[in-house]
Amino acid sequence: MLLCALFVLFHLFGEFYSVFGASCGCSSLVIPVHVDVLVPKDPMDEFAGLKSNASDLRRVDDIYDIHGVFCRPDRGSLQNPSVIQLLVHGFSYTSQYWSPPVEEFRNYSYAAFSCARGLPSLAVDWLGVGLSTRPVNASDVQYPTVAGAVSQVAIHLKTASILPGVPPFRKVIGIGHSAGSGALTFNAIVDGARSPFDALILTGDINLGAGNMLPPLSIVTPARDDTPLRWGNIDPGYVTWRNRSIFYPADPTAFSPRMLEFDGFTKDVATASMFVQTAGLSTFTVQQYTGPVVKIVGSEDQVLCATDRCGDVAALTASERVRWPKARSFEVAVEQGSGHDPNLDFKAQGPFNTFVGFVNQFSSL
Ligand SMILES: *[C@@H]1O[C@H](CO)[C@@H](O)[C@H](O)[C@H]1NC(C)=O
Ligand SMILES: *[C@@H]1O[C@H](CO)[C@@H](O)[C@H](O)[C@H]1NC(C)=O
Ligand SMILES: *[C@@H]1O[C@H](CO)[C@@H](O)[C@H](O)[C@H]1NC(C)=O
Ligand SMILES: *[C@@H]1O[C@H](CO)[C@@H](O)[C@H](O)[C@H]1NC(C)=O
């Protein structure tokens, strides 16, 4: 109950400020973005319009408020003031994935972990999710719009000051989780060499393969049926999971049962479109993106590594690399013991160190 009350509090006030120690501060902010993209008329088009004829597409031209939590180290401990990490959560999560907003789970905060190592970040809520604008019609929330909003935020970070005293950043490093990695990949497909992202760190996202191991759409449920009190009158195209335990390792001693409980309290919505398009997009080749890319997956990921396909890192790397022919560099890292949500189990510090290592490596290029 207490966790639940805290969660509601954060959402009611929409703004909070917390200090993860003397050297780091965070603030909640909203960035209005102009999204002007083509989406498939059929919201169940698994290729998100990328294979559609013009007559099967429609234009979405709108301005959305994208909510994010910006964390920055003190000037003194700031590693490289010109680089920022843009953190993009996965399906049915929010920006809180990168920083669970309760004391007990403070050490599961990648925003805090990286900030303490001198790296600023902005963790955004997807369009339709958390405190960002939720379009009335769920068919407006597809990869082109969700990813388009993220791309606009990246451009904003490079061209404008997001807070008084914070100059525009020179480099934006995208760090995604699961379908959030999918959104960054979608942008890399669409924006190619013009991408505002200087490097990509894609966690919990490897090609689902010919067998398409993503569970069927029926595994998620319309949010309004799941939690009527909270989502009773939203479009049934907004869906959620009844239970997200599949995102944790199968071994119940690998994570805190209280984290799974907290996970249930903080779940959010996503759309049926985003669900089916996640599978479709995982088969695409990113022809023109030229920045460095790393994919990071947990060996105990029950969604992606169930058939032990993550055991042979060389083979996995070979099969993933072909999808990024122009990337400046490409590698795959397997985190031993981590689940699909590497940030939320007992091993979290391992992946966090890996992410920071790649951010530092990519920042210096
Ligand atoms: C696109 O249009 C062409 C020619 O009109 C047609 O043959 C093709 O099937 C269409 N493709 C899709 C995906 O609808
Ligand atoms: C949602 O938008 C689509 C495309 O404009 C439209 O076909 C559909 O009828 C809309 N649904 C609702 C419930 O308004
Ligand atoms: C969630 O699903 C798992 C596996 O199916 C099950 O063991 C667990 O009891 C479920 N938890 C809740 C709260 O329903
Ligand atoms: C967080 O700290 C607690 C208590 O020190 C520890 O049991 C837990 O493993 C830590 N979690 C992570 C993700 O490091």
Side-chain angles (χ1 to χ4, degrees):
M1 249 356 257
L2 177 64
L3 286 179
C4 195
L6 274 172
F7 163 68
V8 170
L9 194 76
F10 282 123
H11 272 70
L12 273 182
F13 293 119
E15 246 175 55
F16 60 94
Y17 184 87
S18 60
V19 177
F20 295 121
S23 62
C24 191
C26 301
S27 39
S28 199
L29 47 83
V30 169
I31 299 176
V33 297
H34 180 197
V35 172
D36 185 358
V37 294
L38 296 171
V39 301
K41 287 178 180 165
D42 173 8
M44 291 298 113
D45 170 20
E46 61 177 326
F47 302 116
L50 292 177
K51 292 187 177 177
S52 299
N53 288 330
S55 61
D56 294 329
L57 297 169
R58 67 182 173 90
R59 185 174 176 188
V60 174
D61 179 2
D62 220 328
I63 291 177
Y64 301 117
D65 281 341
I66 297 300
H67 167 257
V69 178
F70 173 60
C71 290
R72 84 177 139 155
D74 276 354
R75 266 192 199 84
S77 53
L78 198 57
Q79 274 252 342
N80 186 340
S82 62
V83 179
I84 185 165
Q85 310 169 95
L86 180 48
L87 310 177
V88 188
H89 63 81
F91 193 93
S92 77
Y93 283 84
T94 68
S95 55
Q96 295 184 345
Y97 173 76
W98 302 103
S99 198
V102 286
E103 182 64 26
E104 179 182 351
F105 300 130
R106 176 189 272 212
N107 61 349
Y108 292 83
S109 169
Y110 178 65
F113 184 95
S114 57
C115 200
R117 285 154 186 80
L119 303 171
S121 64
L122 175 68
V124 289
D125 288 338
W126 285 9
L127 174 65
V129 171
L131 296 171
S132 292
T133 301
R134 175 176 297 141
V136 171
N137 191 326
S139 71
D140 286 350
V141 183
Q142 305 194 37
Y143 266 95
T145 44
V146 171
V150 169
S151 182
Q152 290 302 316
V153 168
I155 291 168
H156 186 90
L157 287 170
K158 288 181 141 174
T159 53
S161 163
I162 54 168
L163 276 186
V166 178
F169 294 91
R170 201 169 51 78
K171 282 189 179 178
V172 177
I173 297 182
I175 307 186
H177 174 243
S178 197
S181 297
L184 292 170
T185 303
F186 184 90
N187 284 334
I189 294 170
V190 172
D191 296 336
R194 294 174 294 106
S195 171
F197 291 96
D198 297 277
L200 296 175
I201 297 174
L202 305 174
T203 79
D205 171 49
I206 51 175
N207 191 333
L208 292 159
N212 188 358
M213 296 180 304
L214 199 70
L217 180 60
S218 57
I219 201 169
V220 292
T221 182
R224 68 182 190 184
D225 299 337
D226 182 81
T227 315
L229 191 61
R230 198 172 160 203
W231 294 310
N233 46 28
I234 68 175
D235 185 330
Y238 285 105
V239 299
T240 193
W241 299 84
R242 289 206 180 279
N243 177 337
R244 300 193 290 193
S245 62
I246 193 176
F247 298 146
Y248 293 76
D251 173 4
T253 66
F255 59 91
S256 162
R258 287 180 56 77
M259 179 55 93
L260 188 55
E261 199 182 345
F262 177 72
D263 186 294
F265 288 137
T266 54
K267 75 180 179 185
D268 209 284
V269 300
T271 61
S273 304
M274 290 295 289
F275 191 93
V276 299
Q277 292 169 358
T278 295
L281 288 172
S282 89
T283 61
F284 272 80
T285 295
V286 185
Q287 297 290 0
Q288 302 295 337
Y289 182 73
T290 53
V293 179
V294 61
K295 291 201 162 196
I296 300 168
V297 68
S299 67
E300 305 309 310
D301 184 326
Q302 298 195 73
V303 182
L304 301 173
C305 301
T307 54
D308 196 36
R309 60 200 284 262
C310 304
D312 184 345
V313 183
L316 185 59
T317 304
S319 70
E320 291 290 323
R321 190 199 300 276
V322 295
R323 292 182 58 218
W324 298 82
K326 293 219 174 125
R328 175 174 177 149
S329 63
F330 183 88
E331 54 192 299
V332 171
V334 176
E335 291 291 334
Q336 291 307 318
S338 295
H340 184 66
D341 287 355
N343 295 25
L344 304 184
D345 52 47
F346 287 139
K347 297 274 185 178
Q349 306 283 316
F352 288 176
N353 272 307
T354 304
F355 306 166
V356 164
F358 279 106
V359 171
N360 287 331
Q361 180 189 323
F362 294 160
S363 298
S364 65
L365 292 175

